[in-house]
Amino acid sequence: MSSFLRPAVSGQDPFTTGNYRAISSHLAITPPVSVVIPAMNEAENLPYVFKSLPDWIHEVVLVDGNSTDDTVEVARELWPDVKVVEQRGKGKGDALITGFEACTGDIIVMVDADGSADGQEIVSYVSALVSGADFAKGSRFANGGGTSDMTPIRKLGNRVLCAAVNAKFGARYTDLCYGYNAFWRHCLDQIDLDCTGFEVETLMNIRVVKAGLKVQEIPSHEYLRIHGASNLRAVRDGLRVLKVILKERSNRRALRSRPHAMQLNSGQGEVS
């Protein structure tokens, strides 16, 4: 999958030059960008989410988790060309996988529907990808990032689990359980997601490293959920994340025991 990076030329309108789309005053791209938004009963939050999305993105894919409010109607009113996909299973992982399958863009961006993410940050994620990264990983704890929506117990849990992933898989992450990420669509073939719950984000972070993909962390600020209550449960979800880490570690050991393991594990992704 090829990508192109070209600065805007003074006196020339990048919007009308070839197939390039301007995403800032200094950057124009050719790869189409899909934004996946899993949502269940988020009608009140969607106006804030869609308002922050840049107008140069290729498509918005809303995965509706059987909402009982006006989530779908509001999405269509706010973004007439939105692609609505019905989620047949349950869980955030299942919703994301469903959304990824519906994407037609070369670049996929994951955005939560609760208003906690700033869509204007998408330009930073896309810039990292067209500059050579395979996976642009949002981080609330990288220099320039932050969070307004994390309890002390969740911060501690995230730090401990992040340290475990770094130690066991050779990563250098500063954040682990954050759902604002972007990647080239072809990476899905290498990470082969098979997780239906909230822990899908951790699974993605581990498997991109195991696959030897180039990862770049993007400083991101997480805002408070605007309306409604979060379904996150620190202890329950923390244990599920830990289970994923242990399972992936076990799979890695089994892979190493095979005769061709050295070749498969010869490259490890790195965070820069």
Side-chain angles (χ1 to χ4, degrees):
M1 193 72 65
S2 60
S3 62
F4 301 89
L5 174 67
R6 188 172 75 175
V9 179
S10 178
Q12 190 175 38
D13 185 359
F15 283 101
T16 60
T17 305
N19 295 320
Y20 285 84
R21 289 182 305 282
I23 65 174
S24 75
S25 59
H26 302 290
L27 182 66
I29 63 170
T30 59
V33 177
S34 298
V35 174
V36 176
I37 306 175
M40 183 174 70
N41 297 329
E42 298 285 7
E44 290 185 291
N45 290 322
L46 289 184
Y48 301 92
V49 177
F50 279 83
K51 183 180 180 180
S52 73
L53 294 179
D55 57 10
W56 47 261
I57 60 177
H58 166 64
E59 67 181 354
V60 176
V61 177
L62 181 89
V63 185
D64 178 48
N66 301 305
S67 297
T68 56
D69 65 359
D70 297 330
T71 290
V72 173
E73 290 76 12
V74 169
R76 286 176 171 153
E77 180 179 347
L78 295 168
W79 200 280
D81 294 330
V82 65
K83 180 184 293 186
V84 177
V85 182
E86 181 182 348
Q87 181 181 356
R88 300 189 182 280
K90 293 183 178 181
K92 185 174 184 179
D94 180 83
L96 286 172
I97 292 171
T98 300
F100 296 160
E101 291 175 347
C103 289
T104 60
D106 294 338
I107 290 175
I108 298 176
V109 184
M110 305 157 44
V111 177
D112 287 339
D114 59 4
S116 63
D118 181 2
Q120 292 301 314
E121 292 180 0
I122 290 177
V123 64
S124 298
Y125 289 82
V126 172
S127 296
L129 294 176
V130 298
S131 296
D134 297 307
F135 190 87
K137 180 189 177 307
S139 173
R140 296 161 292 187
F141 304 110
N143 187 27
T147 177
S148 305
D149 190 30
M150 224 175 175
T151 62
I153 186 64
R154 283 179 56 203
K155 284 185 179 180
L156 176 61
N158 185 68
R159 183 179 301 176
V160 171
L161 293 169
C162 186
V165 167
N166 288 343
K168 294 185 178 299
F169 299 96
R172 290 187 291 164
Y173 293 138
T174 60
D175 198 352
L176 184 67
C177 306
Y178 190 43
Y180 201 173
N181 304 299
F183 53 91
W184 291 99
R185 183 159 55 110
H186 64 77
C187 293
L188 291 170
D189 295 332
Q190 297 172 267
I191 60 179
D192 191 25
L193 296 176
D194 54 3
C195 173
T196 61
F198 161 81
E199 62 275 17
V200 65
E201 295 151 1
T202 296
L203 182 66
M204 293 182 73
N205 293 332
I206 292 174
R207 289 192 176 171
V208 295
V209 173
K210 292 171 66 175
L213 300 177
K214 184 177 180 181
V215 183
Q216 181 172 332
E217 284 197 330
I218 306 299
S220 176
H221 191 94
E222 177 188 41
Y223 296 90
L224 286 169
R225 164 182 275 275
I226 300 174
H227 295 287
S230 172
N231 292 321
L232 293 178
R233 298 294 181 268
V235 176
R236 178 200 65 186
D237 294 326
L239 290 175
R240 293 176 69 170
V241 168
L242 179 60
K243 184 177 179 180
V244 166
I245 295 172
L246 296 176
K247 180 180 178 181
E248 290 299 302
R249 177 61 176 175
S250 177
N251 289 345
R252 187 181 183 195
R253 286 175 176 170
L255 185 62
R256 282 179 171 175
S257 67
R258 300 177 185 175
H260 59 290
M262 184 173 295
Q263 179 180 357
L264 292 176
N265 287 280
S266 59
Q268 286 296 324
E270 114 179 344
V271 178
S272 56

